[in-house]
Amino acid sequence: MERLQNLIDGTLRPAQSGRWLDVHAPATGEVFAQLPDSDEHDVELAVQAAKRAAPGWNALGREGRSKVLLKLSELIERDLDEFARAESRDNGKPLSLARKVDIPRAVANFRFFATAILHFPSEAHLMDDVAVNWTDRQPIGVVGCISPWNLPLYLFTWKIAPALAAGNCVVAKPSEVTPLTAYRMSLLCEEAGMPPGVLNIIHGLGPKVGAAITAHSGIPAISFTGGTRTGAEIARVAAPMFKKLSLELGGKNPVLVFADCDFEEMLATTVRSSFTNQGQICLCGSRILIHRSIYDRFKEAFVERVKALRVGDPDDPASDLGAVVSKDHMEKVLAYIALAKEEGGRVLCGGERVVLEAPLKDGWYIAPTVIEGLDGRCRTNQEEIFGPVVTLQPFDDEEQAVAMANHTPYGLAAVVWTRDLKRSHRVARALQAGIVWVNCWMIRDLRTPFGGMKQSGVGREGGVDALRFFTEAKNVCIKL
Ligand code: NAD
């Protein structure tokens, strides 16, 4: 059985503890690999290596660092198919999705930040004849990057790429649930010309490795994507140490469907925004709010489309949904469906585990589920489920729709469907969400600020926001 390794100081090695954790294939439920069960001792080695490497990496300059990151992006692209297979096997997502979205986006993340750093502008502020100020932005030194399992390589590289481009050395922790592609990437670092110690990848459990990164005094900045509860724990530990924090957390995203929308386009996109990646994208819309005048038409057409979705072997190009990521997660999602019923919800389709034929019979599959009859205050409509489950609720007017959309502790993303230009502006501005899509979903320009309001996070990633996060600004004032 394959045993994955940590990357520390340019060498691949097991955890110092000598312990291992199992990696499961969600499609079959079987164990297919092991990852190092690392702890604070491995993190310590990584921090020391990163500190030693930092001056040299910074001295390479933007051009030098850019070349290494571009090379790494080329190598991942060269091996795209192998990466996509690893991602699908580890996560349970359809192979077609990993090929089309996850791995191309990881390639794009490196390419984008490798070139963005070349164009990252310096600012200057002239005070008439008095003085000139210029903003010096220096790398922080060693930074920590912690990522989740839903878009494994996509989100891992989304953090690492800007951190490295800005001149930092990185101690990174992929999710223990999906460690495979981060490990595959670590095998390419030497070929890409990455000096030892610049990128260190430590595998293991969140409360051990993630907590050690968070608490380490030699890591003054942490970029984290994951659950809100974990984000709160990281903030609790990091705040008294005055660490810089970027927290990208959970969501309970609303989709607002007005009667004047392009119905067909809305319908096709809403099926995608509900169930892509088995609903395990932080940006999926999970609460669909529909104008009462078209509620029945929407319900009928939507449920028909959802019933036609195929849950199946992730390797089969005909599968629309693969497996959810773990047994625990499947049980959590099924428990929420049971809760929805207890709260008075009516399951219009789905609502249960799907058992496929051998060799997939022990895999973790859930039928795409649509529920109606619940108001916005119940737990089903307040808490993040993060699976293939959506609820339908009618609204009577725009004001009510916005109030319903904003009525959760989260504020990550929202989708608005209307042909009325004025309404699209009004509603987009009134929504408490870091990202609003109008008549579309998941169109991503990597230059735009990405992140959430309220309990969905603190700070923004993407474009100059990420490069600013991973640098310290210093104002230098020179008297004229
Ligand atoms: P999680 O919070 O359980 O884990 C995320 C990462 O944090 C993992 O690497 C984990 O090992 C680590 N971790 C766990 N405990 C830790 C601790 N005490 N200290 C430091 N690190 C720790 O989240 P998950 O279940 O892997 O991912 C799903 C969640 O991620 C959902 O809530 C989803 O909405 C969220 N998410 C948010 C975004 C976004 O951009 N806002 C994107 C994707 C996923």
Side-chain angles (χ1 to χ4, degrees):
M1 182 171 309
E2 186 176 22
R3 284 188 154 171
L4 316 185
Q5 311 273 311
N6 290 330
L7 176 68
I8 301 177
D9 207 7
T11 60
L12 294 163
R13 38 181 124 170
Q16 290 182 75
S17 69
R19 285 192 298 268
W20 299 92
L21 299 163
D22 289 339
V23 191
H24 293 85
T28 58
E30 73 192 359
V31 175
F32 72 94
Q34 290 191 310
L35 75 153
D37 182 8
S38 315
D39 58 27
E40 72 272 20
H41 301 295
D42 305 285
V43 170
E44 182 59 38
L45 282 185
V47 174
Q48 295 313 327
K51 275 188 180 163
R52 283 193 300 275
W57 181 240
N58 196 10
L60 270 186
R62 298 171 185 221
E63 299 258 357
R65 296 194 299 270
S66 176
K67 276 187 191 147
V68 174
L69 299 181
L70 283 174
K71 180 71 183 168
L72 187 53
S73 77
E74 283 164 17
L75 295 176
I76 297 172
E77 196 167 39
R78 179 194 70 190
D79 299 344
L80 193 147
D81 202 58
E82 192 197 323
F83 271 96
R85 285 184 186 284
E87 202 71 297
S88 169
R89 184 166 195 207
D90 211 11
N91 174 278
K93 67 179 69 208
L95 176 58
S96 56
L97 186 69
R99 269 201 193 117
K100 206 170 111 205
V101 176
D102 291 75
I103 309 306
R105 176 58 191 275
V107 171
N109 287 339
F110 277 118
R111 195 167 285 157
F112 176 82
F113 283 109
T115 49
I117 193 65
L118 303 177
H119 307 276
F120 186 33
S122 316
E123 300 131 70
H125 299 89
L126 183 63
M127 301 168 69
D128 297 323
D129 295 332
V130 183
V132 63
N133 296 274
W134 70 280
T135 314
D136 185 14
R137 287 189 187 275
Q138 294 177 6
I140 292 168
V142 180
V143 300
C145 297
I146 304 175
S147 60
W149 49 256
N150 64 320
L151 301 167
L153 195 65
Y154 174 134
L155 290 175
F156 193 61
T157 54
W158 179 233
K159 299 182 175 305
I160 289 170
L164 293 172
N168 301 286
C169 290
V170 173
V171 178
K173 186 197 126 31
S175 170
E176 62 273 32
V177 185
T178 52
L180 201 54
T181 46
Y183 170 65
R184 291 269 179 280
M185 192 181 86
S186 65
L187 301 178
L188 299 177
C189 286
E190 192 180 347
E191 193 180 348
M194 186 89 73
V198 169
L199 173 60
N200 304 276
I201 300 178
I202 313 293
H203 293 278
L205 300 171
K208 281 194 197 172
V209 178
I213 291 172
T214 307
H216 200 294
S217 59
I219 305 181
I222 309 277
S223 174
F224 169 79
T225 298
T228 294
R229 203 174 296 162
T230 316
E233 170 60 15
I234 289 174
R236 187 187 68 75
V237 175
M241 300 174 82
F242 304 105
K243 294 195 179 200
K244 244 182 149 179
L245 282 184
S246 169
L247 302 174
E248 301 296 336
L249 310 176
K252 190 75 184 172
N253 308 316
V255 176
L256 291 77
V257 181
F258 289 93
D260 64 352
C261 69
D262 178 331
F263 193 84
E264 276 311 310
E265 195 180 353
M266 176 277 299
L267 196 62
T269 307
T270 305
V271 172
R272 282 199 305 116
S273 69
S274 303
F275 299 114
T276 301
N277 206 37
Q278 298 72 247
Q280 302 166 135
I281 301 181
C282 56
L283 305 166
C284 278
S286 57
R287 295 178 296 138
I288 308 177
L289 314 176
I290 308 123
H291 192 263
R292 200 178 294 278
S293 64
I294 58 163
Y295 184 85
D296 288 337
R297 181 180 170 210
F298 175 87
K299 178 169 96 175
E300 200 176 309
F302 185 67
V303 169
E304 193 187 315
R305 295 271 184 115
V306 175
K307 279 183 176 163
L309 292 175
R310 217 180 122 179
V311 180
D313 184 351
D315 281 349
D316 183 346
S319 297
D320 299 298
L321 282 81
V324 300
V325 77
S326 67
K327 186 162 184 283
D328 283 354
H329 193 58
M330 178 184 72
E331 282 164 3
K332 177 191 146 186
V333 175
L334 293 173
Y336 267 110
I337 296 171
L339 172 73
K341 289 182 195 161
E342 273 168 39
E343 289 182 320
R346 282 185 300 283
V347 175
L348 301 173
C349 65
E352 74 275 304
R353 180 176 182 177
V354 176
V355 178
L356 300 177
E357 284 178 8
L360 307 175
K361 68 176 181 27
D362 295 323
W364 305 312
Y365 301 88
I366 299 178
T369 301
V370 182
I371 300 170
E372 71 164 356
L374 292 168
D375 81 6
R377 287 162 301 182
C378 66
R379 283 182 55 202
T380 309
N381 276 325
Q382 288 288 312
E383 298 176 15
E384 185 183 46
I385 300 174
F386 212 55
V389 180
V390 296
T391 62
L392 311 185
Q393 295 172 73
F395 65 80
D396 291 305
D397 57 33
E398 184 181 309
E399 198 184 337
Q400 189 192 15
V402 170
M404 288 166 75
N406 289 340
H407 186 68
T408 76
Y410 295 105
L412 186 55
V415 184
V416 182
W417 288 98
T418 179
R419 282 181 166 126
D420 181 333
L421 183 62
K422 285 191 175 167
R423 180 178 10 235
S424 70
H425 283 295
R426 267 194 317 270
V427 173
R429 297 209 67 204
L431 287 170
Q432 295 165 353
I435 301 145
V436 177
W437 278 292
V438 178
N439 297 332
C440 61
W441 178 68
M442 272 300 261
I443 296 181
R444 293 278 295 116
D445 181 328
L446 303 190
R447 294 170 299 181
T448 58
F450 178 91
M453 296 181 181
K454 305 197 291 192
Q455 291 188 20
S456 289
V458 178
R460 294 293 180 271
E461 299 187 306
V464 289
D465 288 282
L467 295 175
R468 285 188 171 167
F469 176 77
F470 285 116
T471 49
E472 277 291 5
K474 180 192 290 173
N475 187 63
V476 181
C477 177
I478 304 171
K479 190 165 178 276
L480 292 177

